[in-house]
Amino acid sequence: MWSRIDRRALRVVGSVAFVAAVLAFVPLAELIAPLGRLPAWVWLAAVAAHLLSRLAAVEKWRLLLRAARTDLGWRRAAHCYYAGQFANTFLPSLVGGDVVRTGLAMRASASPGGTLLASVVDRYFDFVALGAVAAAGAWLAPPEVRGDALTALRWAVALLGTAAVAATFILLRLPPERLPRRLDALVRDARDAFQAIVRDPARGLGAFALAILLQLFLVAIAAVLSSLLGFEVPALVWILVFSVGKLAALAPISIGGIGVREA
């Protein structure tokens, strides 16, 4: 019990420390002053645009669920997805909410293994889309930010590629009969779903394309708000720093990535 409390406290301290570091470089008054320049309709439009992106993310997930020969229906999928989004506020990194989303979906699905696989592929596509968008931003960004960013992205690509190969090898080569009965059925179910996704590349490609479009859409929201607030930051730099910031938020050293992403 105490170890859980200690880890949670450390993540809170991590978030506070990163936010404090940001405020040490940018005075609070300079952050707050421009906010009054924006009319209320701009804030409402930004919130509406973000909510629209989350609805599109639900549909992206459902594309993969249907490719895996399972689906939850729109209302149930949205319920599971938003439960995961809410859980991100309290769980370490941004992956914690995925566990909540997937767990709820597996309980409601006739194919738990297929739902698990579709959810893992969905999140993996998000990582790859983030990396692809960040790589494009790094390649086109000014020289002063290009070198370090490309080095970091090479490591990210290597890790993502290794993870994909390892996960696929384990899924296809792991002998289910040596596992407990419940895990045996789950692995067989996931293996069948993997074959179904491979045989339905259109939905998989559609989900990946949607993942990239969603990342660019979120970058656009941030860039437009930045411009309206009077901050002159080139769009290509926004593409880079927004994507790298979201990747950094995956580290389990803060609450929901708060502080790490802003830093």
Side-chain angles (χ1 to χ4, degrees), residues 176-188:
E177 61 275 4
R178 295 186 181 180
L179 299 173
R181 183 181 301 175
R182 184 172 295 181
L183 287 178
D184 179 351
L186 189 66
V187 170
R188 293 181 187 276

Side-chain angles (χ1 to χ4, degrees), residues 124 155-166:
Y124 183 78
W155 280 103
V157 169
L159 289 173
L160 287 171
T162 301
V165 172

Side-chain angles (χ1 to χ4, degrees), residues 16-246:
V16 172
F18 278 108
V19 171
V22 172
L23 295 179
F25 286 97
V26 183
L28 185 59
E30 292 185 17
L31 289 177
I32 295 177
L35 299 180
R37 302 173 190 165
L38 294 185
W41 70 265
V42 173
W43 292 112
L44 292 174
V47 172
H50 184 77
L51 292 175
L52 179 63
S53 75
R54 297 306 86 199
L55 293 176
V58 174
E59 189 57 35
K60 171 172 63 68
W61 181 35
R62 290 189 66 220
L63 275 174
L64 291 167
L65 287 170
R66 292 196 293 273
R69 300 297 183 263
T70 182
D71 196 6
L72 303 173
W74 171 258
R75 290 184 62 182
R76 182 57 64 87
H79 168 80
C80 296
Y81 183 87
Y82 278 102
Q85 291 283 292
F86 181 73
N88 278 334
T89 310
F90 311 101
L91 296 174
S93 86
L94 296 181
V95 181
D98 287 339
V99 176
V100 174
R101 173 185 68 162
T102 305
L104 289 173
M106 288 173 66
R107 292 176 61 184
S109 172
S111 174
T115 301
L116 173 62
L117 182 69
S119 301
V120 171
V121 173
D122 179 57
R123 178 52 70 187
Y124 183 78
F125 278 1
D126 286 341
F127 291 162
V128 175
L130 266 176
V133 171
W139 187 261
L140 299 171
E144 58 267 24
V145 298
R146 184 184 303 158
D148 291 340
L150 285 176
T151 299
L153 288 171
R154 289 190 190 101
W155 280 103
V157 169
L159 289 173
L160 287 171
T162 301
V165 172
T168 302
F169 180 83
I170 291 172
L171 178 63
L172 297 180
R173 296 296 182 182
L174 183 68
E177 61 275 4
R178 295 186 181 180
L179 299 173
R181 183 181 301 175
R182 184 172 295 181
L183 287 178
D184 179 351
L186 189 66
V187 170
R188 293 181 187 276
D189 201 14
R191 191 172 292 179
D192 291 341
F194 179 82
Q195 298 295 338
I197 291 176
V198 170
R199 291 193 298 268
D200 191 1
R203 284 189 173 127
L205 291 173
F208 181 64
L210 191 53
I212 291 179
L213 290 175
L214 278 172
Q215 298 306 328
L216 292 174
F217 183 65
L218 293 173
V219 171
I221 294 174
V224 170
L225 285 175
S226 172
S227 177
L228 292 174
L229 287 168
F231 302 123
E232 298 301 327
V233 180
L236 290 175
V237 174
W238 261 116
I239 290 175
L240 172 62
V241 299
F242 186 91
S243 305
V244 172
K246 288 190 70 174

Side-chain angles (χ1 to χ4, degrees), residues 244-259:
V244 172
K246 288 190 70 174
L247 287 171
L250 298 172
I253 56 176
S254 66
I255 298 295
I258 297 173

